[in-house]
């Protein structure tokens, strides 16, 4: 061990030994340095079975948090939950469609009953919806996106905030998009919902700034996840190139790169950050 070499110098004068022992104490890692950033915290994530939500769940588990995944899909349930539990045994899956208020309430009640608090919430569940111009868009297609991507986040925030106000602490992170800041043709429902999330986040940040609650939103560029697989980009190299070319860094992002931003916003590393919309987009929105 590196330190024992210095300790061996017992024949040194007393003041030298004192200096060495002081140095050892100063260099010895404190308990705080060993602590993970989300130890003893409970992190609630919607849409956490896949893509960005899954990467955020794994990152939070690696930082020591107890994890609750609320998702409407059950297919990946066992596999994803096994991956998370291998890192953090304190992990729970709750079946929940975020567009149904009673299911959201139940998912958050189960979180509190199981782990006693909800310290961080990532409202991430979302869908892209059926593409089409507004004049061709069916009301049901409009509503399917708005109900999940915008109203679903409102339902989650309402329930999360009820508990966070009682705790007088908490962090909420919403998942918007570059489409929360610029338009995208043939996706009016998605663009409207994601712009809505930026506004919802700012309003909430102001309402709860003195309750110890921070609220922020992430705006990712195009990220390589199953949501993009639905666009069948790998079988459409021309379309994939068009999308990649929109990013000055000339590539898609990864879910893990979004998770790094999430951990920043979820922890005290961002203790003075609230109402912010963090672009993680390879420069897309700088253009
Ligand atoms: N992938 C991208 O390029 C990209 C870019 C910007 C923003 N986003 C946003 O990031 C979020 C996650 O996207 P992703 O790419 O990881 O997608 P994904 O399809 O890989 O994962 C989405 C998850 O949400 C769940 N989900 C969908 N509807 C739900 C509902 N009603 N209730 C509960 N769970 C539901 C799905 O089951 C899935 O597990 C979405 O809000 C999306 O709009 C994605």
């Amino acid at each position: 061990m590196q330190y024992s070499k210095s300790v061996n110098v017992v024949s040194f004068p007393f003041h030298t030994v004192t200096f060495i022992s002081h140095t050892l104490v100063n260099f010895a890692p404190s308990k705080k340095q060993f602590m993970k950033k989300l130890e003893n915290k409970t992190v609630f994530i919607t849409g956490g079975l896949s893509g960005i939500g899954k990467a955020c769940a794994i990152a939070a588990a690696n930082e020591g948090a107890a994890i609750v995944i609320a998702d409407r899909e059950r297919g990946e349930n066992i596999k994803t939950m096994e991956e998370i539990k291998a890192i953090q045994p304190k992990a729970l899956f709750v079946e929940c469609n975020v567009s149904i208020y009673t299911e959201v309430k139940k998912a958050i009640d189960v979180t509190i009953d199981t782990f006693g608090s909800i310290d961080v919430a990532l409202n991430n569940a979302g869908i892209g919806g059926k593409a089409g111009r507004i004049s061709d868009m069916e009301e049901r297609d409009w509503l399917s996106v708005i109900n999940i991507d915008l109203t679903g986040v409102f339902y989650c925030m309402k329930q999360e905030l009820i508990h966070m106000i009682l705790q007088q602490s908490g962090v909420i992170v919403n998942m918007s998009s570059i489409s929360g800041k610029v338009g995208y043709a043939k996706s009016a429902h998605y663009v409207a919902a994601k712009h809505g999330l930026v506004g919802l986040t700012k309003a909430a940040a102001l309402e709860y700034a003195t309750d110890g609650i921070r609220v922020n939103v992430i705006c990712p560029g195009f990220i390589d996840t199953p949501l993009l697989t639905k666009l069948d980009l790998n079988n459409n190299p021309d379309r994939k190139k068009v999308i990649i070319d929109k990013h000055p860094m000339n590539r898609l992002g990864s879910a893990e790169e979004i998770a790094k931003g999430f951990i920043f916003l979820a922890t005290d590393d961002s203790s003075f950050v609230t109402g912010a919309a963090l672009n993680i987009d390879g420069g897309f929105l700088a253009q």
Side-chain angles (χ1 to χ4, degrees):
M1 191 173 128
Q2 212 182 347
Y3 293 146
S4 62
K5 267 189 189 165
S6 335
V7 176
N8 255 343
V9 289
V10 282
S11 57
F12 274 33
F14 178 71
H15 67 271
T16 310
V17 175
T18 310
F19 168 77
I20 290 168
S21 65
H22 271 261
T23 311
L24 285 176
V25 168
N26 289 341
F27 280 129
S30 68
K31 196 180 168 199
K32 204 173 173 193
Q33 280 171 298
F34 278 126
M35 268 188 74
K36 294 177 173 178
K37 288 182 177 176
L38 290 170
E39 223 158 299
N40 304 320
K41 304 278 187 196
T42 302
V43 175
F44 174 84
I45 300 180
T46 66
L49 289 184
S50 172
I52 292 172
K54 178 180 170 182
C56 291
I58 287 173
N62 275 319
E63 287 295 348
I67 306 292
V68 180
I69 300 286
D71 201 296
R72 72 173 179 186
E73 286 299 327
R74 301 200 68 190
E76 281 286 290
N77 182 2
I78 292 168
K79 196 167 153 276
T80 300
M81 291 312 293
E82 272 176 5
E83 278 180 58
I84 295 168
K85 280 183 179 167
I87 303 165
Q88 168 56 283
K90 287 186 190 169
L92 181 73
F93 172 74
V94 191
E95 197 174 339
C96 166
N97 181 341
V98 295
S99 66
I100 300 173
Y101 184 63
T102 49
E103 292 193 13
V104 170
K105 184 176 181 321
K106 194 175 135 216
I108 289 170
D109 286 349
V110 168
T111 301
I112 301 290
D113 290 348
T114 309
F115 295 122
S117 66
I118 178 165
D119 302 296
V120 177
L122 174 62
N123 300 316
N124 160 81
I127 59 169
K130 189 175 165 193
R133 295 203 302 170
I134 296 165
S135 48
D136 302 323
M137 195 175 278
E138 300 289 343
E139 186 189 9
R140 67 167 180 273
D141 295 329
W142 166 265
L143 286 178
S144 70
V145 174
I146 296 296
N147 288 347
I148 294 173
D149 292 12
L150 182 58
T151 310
V153 174
F154 163 72
Y155 289 161
C156 290
M157 288 178 74
K158 181 173 164 64
Q159 282 301 310
E160 291 153 4
L161 284 162
I162 286 170
H163 293 283
M164 288 178 178
I165 290 165
L166 291 173
Q167 295 168 184
Q168 284 291 289
S169 69
V171 176
I172 293 177
V173 179
N174 293 326
M175 194 59 68
S176 178
S177 163
I178 46 177
S179 297
K181 291 192 174 176
V182 292
Y184 202 83
K186 298 188 181 173
S187 285
H189 39 20
Y190 188 76
V191 170
K194 295 300 186 182
H195 271 69
L197 287 189
V198 174
L200 187 57
T201 299
K202 288 179 185 173
L206 298 180
E207 288 177 13
Y208 301 99
T210 55
D211 287 294
I213 301 167
R214 297 186 298 106
V215 190
N216 293 292
V217 60
I218 298 177
C219 298
F222 282 85
I223 308 301
D224 203 357
T225 70
L227 189 127
L228 276 202
T229 313
K230 284 170 204 153
L231 300 178
D232 204 18
L233 293 185
N234 288 334
N235 293 322
N236 289 290
D238 291 345
R239 192 154 177 230
K240 188 171 184 178
K241 188 175 176 323
V242 168
I243 288 179
I244 287 174
D245 285 349
K246 288 178 189 286
H247 298 75
M249 288 178 77
N250 217 20
R251 65 174 176 84
L252 300 177
S254 71
E256 289 70 26
E257 287 174 309
I258 305 303
K260 286 178 190 167
F262 166 63
I263 294 296
F264 167 69
L265 292 174
T267 62
D268 282 347
D269 286 353
S270 59
S271 52
F272 200 47
V273 181
T274 197
L278 176 64
N279 305 338
I280 307 181
D281 66 351
F284 189 111
L285 290 168
Q287 300 170 103

